[in-house]
Amino acid sequence: MQKSDRLQWYKNKTVLVTGGTSGIGLEMVRQLAGLGTKVVFCGRDPQAIESVSRATGADGLCVDLSRHEELPRFLTALRAKYRIDILVNNAGLGDITDFCQADTQTLLSMQSVNMDAVVVLCRELLPEISRQPGGGILNVGSVASFFPTPGSAVYGATKHFIAGFTDALHGELAGKGVHVTGIYPGKTSSRFLVRATRGKNADWDKAMAADVVARAALSGLACNRIRVIPGLSNKVIVLIAKFLPTQILLRVTGVRTKSPSGQGGAS
Ligand SMILES: NC(=O)c1ccc[n+]([C@@H]2O[C@H](COP(=O)([O-])OP(=O)(O)OC[C@H]3O[C@@H](n4cnc5c(N)ncnc54)[C@H](OP(=O)(O)O)[C@@H]3O)[C@@H](O)[C@H]2O)c1
């Protein structure tokens, strides 16, 4: 089946994309809106939300997913207007700093967005998503889901969580007509690196384009694939990580994540 045909699966559905104001999430919003799918997205910056809404015709909601107390209000606002068929947990952030120098509050906020919000949204929206066949959940992990990441230990651990959680959910919901997929990108052009390094690095060398990653993710969910790893080099990295002993992996990823330019880091 052609990739464009697979995307017909999104027709006549309502999709929530978290972190739809930038990078991979923004590309998903654009592509879904282009298919005529009803799209709701969220982010924190009201101006960015307004501009994405205007450009794509998607509806935007403002929420800070790092703040647990904001989630009930967000869910109430969402339910008042929409019945979600497909949830895309894309919002996420990194922090490329040695653990012993990291700021505790930053680490906790990262855990809240990258893990807690994912669990809450999946659990709270699953009754709507599974009310009829054709619903889905797409969680955004990283190649860092599959190997240790010295230099961004907590970020890597949050992405390990995504792989374990998403695989298990895929198993639980198999046979119930709900598609569950994890997408595990490598270096991708977005604001991720500049934010994770507090402005020290603008973008990765040899990054994949965010629209390519978004297309692979949407296509993978439409086919109910368990894991999607976009790009040949990322597939090779994950394959090698699967077979190398952790001690050796640590040496390899230690070098990768702490290059003298500071432009390493887990993606
Ligand atoms: N870029 C990469 O190299 C790479 C590689 C592997 C995996 N990933 C994963 O891909 C996903 C998307 O990242 P990206 O690369 O597209 O980065 P990005 O350009 O920084 O986009 C991140 C999105 O998440 C939203 N977000 C962040 N913190 C939030 C919060 N507290 N509450 C609500 N929304 C929040 C941002 O909205 P605001 O503008 O409101 O902050 C933005 O829309 C993340 O899960 C990331 O871990 C990225």
Side-chain angles (χ1 to χ4, degrees):
M1 203 195 300
Q2 296 275 322
K3 269 194 181 165
S4 52
D5 293 337
R6 285 180 207 150
L7 298 184
Q8 298 308 311
W9 184 74
Y10 292 93
K11 279 243 150 138
N12 304 320
K13 292 180 184 171
T14 302
V15 183
L16 169 64
V17 180
T18 69
T21 53
S22 168
I24 299 168
L26 172 58
E27 291 302 332
M28 290 194 207
V29 171
R30 281 197 183 121
Q31 290 174 24
L32 289 166
L35 293 167
T37 304
K38 176 82 195 155
V39 188
V40 194
F41 67 95
C42 64
R44 283 173 301 180
D45 175 359
Q47 277 184 339
I49 290 172
E50 172 65 28
S51 112
V52 174
S53 278
R54 231 180 303 116
T56 61
D59 293 353
L61 292 173
C62 200
V63 62
D64 183 344
L65 295 172
S66 72
R67 296 168 66 89
H68 291 178
E69 66 278 16
E70 285 198 21
L71 296 181
R73 176 196 62 77
F74 171 65
L75 283 162
T76 303
L78 192 70
R79 288 183 177 124
K81 272 186 91 174
Y82 313 97
R83 291 189 92 183
I84 300 300
D85 300 296
I86 296 165
L87 165 65
V88 179
N89 281 305
N90 161 78
L93 65 151
D95 181 36
I96 300 177
T97 318
D98 277 350
F99 182 69
C100 59
Q101 285 159 6
D103 170 61
T104 306
Q105 193 48 53
T106 303
L107 297 178
L108 291 177
S109 292
M110 181 165 58
Q111 289 182 199
S112 299
V113 179
N114 295 8
M115 299 192 297
D116 299 353
V118 172
V119 173
V120 171
L121 293 181
C122 283
R123 179 62 195 91
E124 291 297 316
L125 294 176
L126 194 54
E128 292 172 41
I129 290 169
S130 60
R131 71 187 184 278
Q132 58 190 29
I137 295 173
L138 175 63
N139 290 334
V140 181
S142 163
V143 288
S145 297
F146 304 111
F147 49 78
T149 58
S152 45
V154 174
Y155 174 72
T158 65
K159 294 301 179 179
H160 277 64
F161 172 88
I162 290 294
F165 176 58
T166 307
D167 288 353
L169 219 50
H170 182 100
E172 276 195 30
L173 297 173
K176 293 193 178 153
V178 178
H179 292 193
V180 181
T181 296
I183 168 92
Y184 301 96
K187 296 171 180 175
T188 306
S189 275
S190 71
R191 290 186 305 174
F192 177 88
L193 185 64
V194 78
R195 288 179 153 192
T197 60
R198 289 175 201 79
K200 285 191 203 124
N201 293 111
D203 204 356
W204 307 106
D205 249 2
K206 297 184 189 149
M208 280 185 84
D211 65 318
V212 176
V213 173
R215 201 166 302 115
L218 294 177
S219 167
L221 180 69
C223 301
N224 198 21
R225 287 178 55 194
I226 301 182
R227 294 178 175 183
V228 176
I229 299 165
L232 182 63
S233 58
N234 293 324
K235 287 186 180 70
V236 171
I237 289 169
V238 170
L239 191 69
I240 292 173
K242 193 169 171 181
F243 293 107
L244 277 187
T246 308
Q247 203 57 38
I248 296 176
L249 256 182
L250 269 174
R251 261 182 246 152
V252 178
T253 58
V255 171
R256 277 172 46 94
T257 53
K258 290 160 127 188
S259 65
S261 70
Q263 217 195 339
S267 46

